[in-house]
Amino acid sequence: MDRLEAFKAIAAQAGRGELTFPTNIDASIKLQRALNDDNCHIDLAAKLVQADPLLAARTVAIANSVAYNRSGMEISSVKTAVQRLGVRTLQSLVTSVIVRQLGTKIRNPLLKAKANQLWEHTAHVAALAQVIARRVSHVDPDTAMFAGIVHEVGGFYMLSQAEAYPEAMEGDPEEWTTYGEVPIGRGVLQKLMIPENVMKAVEAMWEGMRALPPENLGDTLLLANDLSPIASPLHARPGATSVAAASTIDFAVGDGTLATIMEESAEEVKSLTSALLHG
């Protein structure tokens, strides 16, 4: 089996919904389904979150981040944190736990290092997308953060399967973007019941087409991806902006510029990234 055949095999599994997840993901997916219910009350959401120690810690950390806690009064109660964040932000956090758990079954040190770097990249993109949405593109910030969390989920799944399909990590890295990223990513996103508007934003990132200044969720995600100081370890996207070049991206936003907004928001981005990374 060569690399292309490995991608096709993994993509076929994903397309059929025959995804091999670590067992601890099942509980997180059930929690995600409960939060997706329009009748899910904040009190029930708080009880569900408290039952998952990792999610509880991450929820409190996010609620105390600069982006969500402008008063500076520290929150230590899960229920208070849930009330501050709301169910939609909780859906993002549950998904972040699912994405992170995909790396727990990886034993190979090189693959584990790639998964860790991919999570660092993901956390930066999610935090940047939230701030860019709120300050620049004026799309929903929570949805933008959610899109950032899931934008590389296909890569996480591929890394989790690489020990069973070692050929997936051999050959030219560009083959991932050409043959693996889209079919595998689409299958995993569908399995995780990702909303259609977020699917479209991730697909826009795969295509690499965007407007500056950003006008929609896809543009917001692409700009956040370009501005991330940590690159994806899986590939250099064709036409992607380098880290050095990304630092020169600027344009007018109202009475200011992107550069001034990002400078003003640096502490928010740092705080949110740290909360996502370390919980």
Side-chain angles (χ1 to χ4, degrees), residues 140-161:
D140 181 67
D142 291 331
T143 303
M145 182 170 76
F146 183 75
I149 286 169
V150 301
H151 83 285
E152 288 280 9
V153 71
F156 280 102
Y157 187 75
M158 189 272 287
L159 288 172
S160 77
Q161 296 299 300

Side-chain angles (χ1 to χ4, degrees), residues 183-263:
I184 294 172
R186 189 172 285 133
V188 180
L189 290 168
Q190 288 172 346
K191 179 70 172 181
L192 296 179
M193 301 169 293
I194 302 304
E196 186 179 353
N197 63 328
V198 175
M199 287 276 289
K200 287 181 177 177
V202 176
E203 287 176 351
M205 192 196 72
W206 291 336
E207 293 167 4
M209 301 294 289
R210 62 113 182 266
L212 286 177
E215 298 173 354
N216 54 40
L217 184 59
D219 296 339
T220 300
L221 181 59
L222 267 162
L223 181 57
N225 188 69
D226 280 349
L227 293 177
S228 172
I230 304 294
S232 165
L234 297 181
H235 57 78
R237 186 178 306 284
T241 306
S242 67
V243 173
S247 65
T248 68
I249 295 176
D250 200 11
F251 46 78
V253 183
D255 295 330
T257 66
L258 175 68
T260 57
I261 287 172
M262 297 316 297
E263 188 175 337

Side-chain angles (χ1 to χ4, degrees), residues 49 52-65 74-75 78 81 85 93-94 96-97 100 119 123 270-279:
V49 170
D52 185 325
L54 176 60
L55 180 61
R58 190 155 291 164
T59 299
V60 172
I62 294 288
N64 281 313
S65 70
E74 187 173 20
I75 290 173
V78 170
L85 297 177
L93 297 185
V94 172
S96 78
V97 170
R100 197 72 180 102
W119 179 243
K270 181 180 177 183
S271 174
L272 195 50
T273 302
S274 177
L276 285 168
L277 281 173
H278 307 297

